[in-house]
Amino acid sequence: MRPLANLADARLEDARRYPGCVLMLGCEICGWARGYEVGKVINRLYELRDGGFTTLVADVAQSVKRPCPRCQGKHWATQLAYPTHIDERETKRLAGRYRN
């Protein structure tokens, strides 16, 4: 995963500006990370009545109750990131697709 830089105060709704990005949930202890579709995260937060579109990306980590599958810790961090299979060319293609 390639984290997006300079998005410290980003909200979940800002993900639509970066086509193809995901919400990366990572363990601060062991470095385990996994990407989740932002739309599904928003829907889940609405179901739990714990947030929505305007939720800060960094605050999503507080909603995670499960322990890390690798180290069993509960020190989570979240940020927007691109999966490894999406390069700059694919990003431009997706942006054009969403625009049109």
Side-chain angles (χ1 to χ4, degrees):
M1 298 251 193
R2 292 180 298 133
L4 295 171
N6 301 326
L7 293 177
D9 295 331
R11 299 188 181 278
L12 290 176
E13 64 187 349
D14 295 336
R16 61 185 162 189
R17 295 182 189 159
Y18 306 97
C21 78
V22 296
L23 182 74
M24 184 177 75
L25 174 69
C27 179
E28 293 179 338
I29 298 172
C30 68
W32 179 88
R34 180 173 176 194
Y36 294 92
E37 289 184 35
V38 178
K40 289 183 179 181
V41 172
I42 292 170
N43 289 337
R44 183 67 178 151
L45 289 172
Y46 273 128
E47 288 175 9
L48 297 174
R49 298 174 194 254
D50 198 20
F53 284 103
T54 59
T55 303
L56 291 173
V57 171
D59 291 347
V60 176
Q62 298 171 359
S63 300
V64 180
K65 306 296 184 215
R66 291 187 169 196
C68 174
R70 187 184 297 166
C71 70
Q72 302 303 315
K74 290 189 177 182
H75 300 280
W76 296 110
T78 50
Q79 59 187 354
L80 295 176
Y82 281 117
T84 55
H85 69 276
I86 294 184
D87 57 356
E88 186 176 338
R89 182 178 176 191
E90 180 69 8
T91 303
K92 288 180 181 179
R93 187 188 72 80
L94 289 172
R97 182 176 170 194
Y98 291 143
R99 183 177 51 247
N100 297 330

